[in-house]
Amino acid sequence: KIPVGKTPAYVQVAPNGKFAYIANQNAGVITVLDTATDQVSGIIDIPQGPPQFVSFSPDSRYAYVSVYNDSDSIHLIAFVDTATSTVTSTVQVDNSRPGPSAASPDGRSLYVPNHNMTMGTANGNDIDVIDTASKRLSGKIAVPMNPHWLAFGAGGQYLYSTDHMSGLVTVMNAHTNSIVKEIPVGQTPHGEAISPDGSRLAVTSFGGNFVSLINTANDKVVARVPVGKSPQDDAYAPDGRHLYTVNNVDNTVSVINTADNRVTAEIPAGSSPTSISVLPNGRQAYVTNENDGTVDVLNIAK
């Protein structure tokens, strides 16, 4: 268990596996974690506002920090140079509460969902698209209300959004930014993760306390797995053998065996766990505990 400062709401391991960034909302900083030593190696000030989420470019050179405040007067993406640990530019987005963004596999575009949970708000159903070279908005995709989370499928052709207040997952063609299909998954879809082989999309139901597993070949729900209370985020092990869900109210992490879609273990976490991210080598996973200012380090190696 690593102390990382106030309100660590979200953690993301860089694609190169060398470090993880933790968004500390109330502290207004990104905490940098050295994954070789599991020690805090730096603090990055985000003066523009409260950092809520973070993602990375495929080459790990840039981090994209989603920033918004409670009054919705601030809503932007801060570009961070990971070599210098500095904010180099910002891009104002149209949606009021930019959620966890996702960079396209070629790194040219950044997709930004709307984490707002109010039906009918302006731009509440939009996914903003940013050109990462020009650092300008290049378009938007209108989906059902409140797209919370994004995940690219294998090969990057398809992009999936969890439409939190609509009970749907929207499938988009990322080459044309057009909607292909809408998949009903039940109440309040929240976090999502694509399996390493791309064959399954795992979607947590925050209000339903289950995970829906979608066959990406036919876009059908093939299993619904009960987990702990209020599963907020999920992640696959790099070998695909296990799926992990972070259960916000239960203070646990559920471990699902993907061979038979059964929960085989529940790992105690800290107070109010909110996110999970796994090292590319499958050695460890990191879980943010928002209420006690810590990150749990889980040994997941087999």
Side-chain angles (χ1 to χ4, degrees), residues 219-239:
D219 294 328
K220 302 290 187 182
V221 175
V222 294
R224 180 175 283 183
V225 184
V227 292
K229 292 181 179 178
S230 302
Q232 189 157 321
D233 191 13
D234 57 351
Y236 277 94
D239 63 8

Side-chain angles (χ1 to χ4, degrees), residues 31-105:
T31 301
V32 184
L33 188 67
D34 185 323
T35 57
T37 63
D38 291 333
Q39 299 292 322
V40 173
S41 60
I43 301 291
I44 304 172
D45 289 325
I46 308 295
Q48 291 79 12
Q52 308 284 347
F53 305 98
V54 63
S55 68
F56 289 96
S57 60
D59 60 9
S60 302
R61 293 179 58 192
Y62 296 98
Y64 308 115
V65 182
S66 298
V67 179
Y68 63 79
N69 58 0
D70 290 340
S71 66
D72 298 338
S73 60
I74 299 169
H75 37 98
L76 56 88
I77 299 293
F79 282 56
V80 174
D81 185 321
T82 61
T84 61
S85 296
T86 56
V87 176
T88 58
S89 59
T90 61
V91 179
Q92 184 89 359
V93 293
D94 289 336
N95 75 60
S96 58
R97 298 200 169 193
S101 61
S104 58

Side-chain angles (χ1 to χ4, degrees), residues 137-148:
L137 286 178
S138 60
K140 62 175 61 181
I141 308 170
V143 297
M145 283 300 293
N146 312 108
H148 261 32

